[in-house]
Amino acid sequence: MSADRIRTQPPPVAGPEDVEPPGRNRLPLLWDGRPPFPPKRIGHVGLRALYADWLALRRGRAAPGATELEEAARRRAPGFWAWIAVERPDEPRYLHVEPGLIRLYGADPTGRRVAELFSPRIRREALAAYAHAARETSPLYKRRTLFGFVGRYGYHRLILPATHSGDRADRALLALYPTDRTLVRAAQWREPEGVDLPPGLRAQAGPQGG
């Protein structure tokens, strides 16, 4: 059996209150040293450096600690990163969102579940990505065009699993940069994609929502 398939066993159960809900992801303790994908695949310099930091910070484990990874994100992707809670891989939730991403989204989604946001197409892809990152303790990089009939705007997105508890991949760090520096407002991608803010976020959006 390869080292990256070796997983820890759940702790002894003392009572019903200690039983973990199904779908939680245990953290592999061993890593065979091979990067999940080569850094050169990442088309953004800052995100490529952040991925290299993630590889180095693992120190033989499948995912680094959240505190160390956040320090790297502040250096490599200042203002354009967020923490996603993935204790339950199928129910990711925004824990913290930096100003650059809030500007691009049009409102602050902190505390919201990913399932509440975006269009059905974007939502399905995002939910699948976070579930994969958590369950497989695997990073994901994607370069996406926001709307193909114009093909002008898009983004580089990097999702990196991390651990806060120490025994599972319970955090995912999202780092995202537009492919075009002229993409600075939410309306630039929301209108062509036909995506509106959820009702609860419209009031707080104000001018930045457009």
Side-chain angles (χ1 to χ4, degrees):
M1 180 180 294
S2 65
D4 59 343
R5 288 180 175 271
I6 299 175
R7 294 179 178 268
T8 59
Q9 294 298 315
V13 176
E17 68 278 3
D18 296 320
V19 177
E20 295 180 347
R24 288 202 176 184
N25 37 304
R26 305 304 299 178
L27 183 67
L29 291 179
L30 300 178
W31 169 56
D32 66 4
R34 293 173 298 180
F37 55 83
K40 65 182 180 181
R41 183 185 301 177
I42 298 176
H44 185 278
V45 173
L47 298 189
R48 193 182 310 135
L50 179 57
Y51 176 60
D53 288 340
W54 181 84
L55 290 171
L57 290 170
R58 291 196 289 180
R59 299 191 180 94
R61 300 195 69 178
T67 300
E68 292 177 309
L69 187 57
E70 179 172 323
E71 292 173 359
R74 290 183 182 279
R75 292 194 310 272
R76 307 298 192 184
F80 287 86
W81 59 271
W83 275 122
I84 316 296
V86 291
E87 294 100 336
R88 296 177 180 270
D90 293 322
E91 300 178 12
R93 173 174 52 89
Y94 288 95
L95 287 178
H96 171 82
V97 184
E98 287 286 286
L101 293 189
I102 292 175
R103 236 178 1 258
L104 287 175
Y105 181 67
D108 186 354
T110 299
R112 294 281 183 145
R113 293 182 298 116
V114 174
E116 299 176 58
L117 311 173
F118 308 112
S119 66
R121 178 169 58 86
I122 296 175
R123 186 165 58 242
R124 281 193 301 271
E125 192 277 331
L127 289 172
Y130 289 122
H132 177 82
R135 287 203 174 95
E136 303 300 323
T137 324
S138 176
L140 294 102
Y141 167 73
K142 182 172 186 176
R143 176 172 176 163
R144 180 175 184 266
T145 299
L146 286 171
F147 41 97
F149 64 90
V150 174
R152 180 179 180 184
Y153 299 126
Y155 58 73
H156 300 275
R157 185 193 67 189
L158 182 64
I159 297 175
L160 299 171
T163 179
H164 175 71
S165 62
D167 66 350
R168 62 175 55 87
D170 49 15
R171 297 288 185 271
L173 189 131
L174 164 69
L176 184 149
Y177 276 100
T179 56
D180 189 322
R181 292 186 178 181
T182 62
L183 178 57
V184 295
R185 297 182 299 111
Q188 290 171 279
W189 67 271
R190 283 190 174 279
E191 291 170 5
E193 287 276 322
V195 179
D196 196 7
L197 284 170
L201 291 178
R202 288 176 196 159
Q204 66 150 284
Q208 70 177 356

